[in-house]
Amino acid sequence: MIRVVLPPHLRTLAHVSGEVRVEVSGEVTQRHVLDAVEERFPMLVGTMRDRGTGKRRALVRFFACEEDLSNEPPDAALPDRVARGEEPFLVVGAMAGG
């Protein structure tokens, strides 16, 4: 099971509290994890990635094992600790403005 931590506004939208757990078959990548989250919580489709292009939304960041993975290719393997369920994959709502 992959542990995913969503930002508060997406947890509210998905009607969950705390982290969520999803099953990913095959290689554990950003794309596969987000696909699994969106399949389990269809109301989140389009909130983390653009529906048409699949690209990460500008004010959403992805982290794992204290690393910013936001600019990594979506099909790059996530760290082994995430794949083993030891560390969560974090979806973070970035802040903008001054």
Side-chain angles (χ1 to χ4, degrees), residues 3-64:
R3 299 167 45 208
V4 181
V5 175
L6 298 170
H9 64 287
L10 294 183
R11 287 195 308 263
T12 299
L13 185 61
H15 305 288
V16 297
S17 61
E19 67 184 29
V20 298
R21 294 173 185 255
V22 293
E23 191 71 41
V24 173
S25 58
E27 189 171 24
V28 178
T29 64
Q30 283 184 29
R31 182 185 318 272
H32 290 147
V33 169
L34 295 174
D35 286 348
V37 169
E38 290 176 346
E39 182 178 323
R40 183 165 171 205
F41 303 101
M43 69 286 288
L44 297 181
V45 173
T47 61
M48 298 173 283
R49 305 180 287 183
D50 181 87
R51 288 178 190 240
T53 66
K55 291 184 180 179
R56 174 183 59 84
R57 293 248 177 235
L59 295 178
V60 175
R61 309 292 291 181
F62 303 130
F63 291 87

Side-chain angles (χ1 to χ4, degrees), residues 3-5 30 33 56 59-72 78-79 82 87-94:
R3 299 167 45 208
V4 181
V5 175
Q30 283 184 29
V33 169
R56 174 183 59 84
L59 295 178
V60 175
R61 309 292 291 181
F62 303 130
F63 291 87
C65 301
E66 298 182 18
E67 292 183 48
D68 185 349
L69 304 176
S70 303
N71 295 315
E72 295 292 316
L78 291 177
V82 172
E87 293 284 335
F89 178 74
L90 297 120
V91 178
V92 178

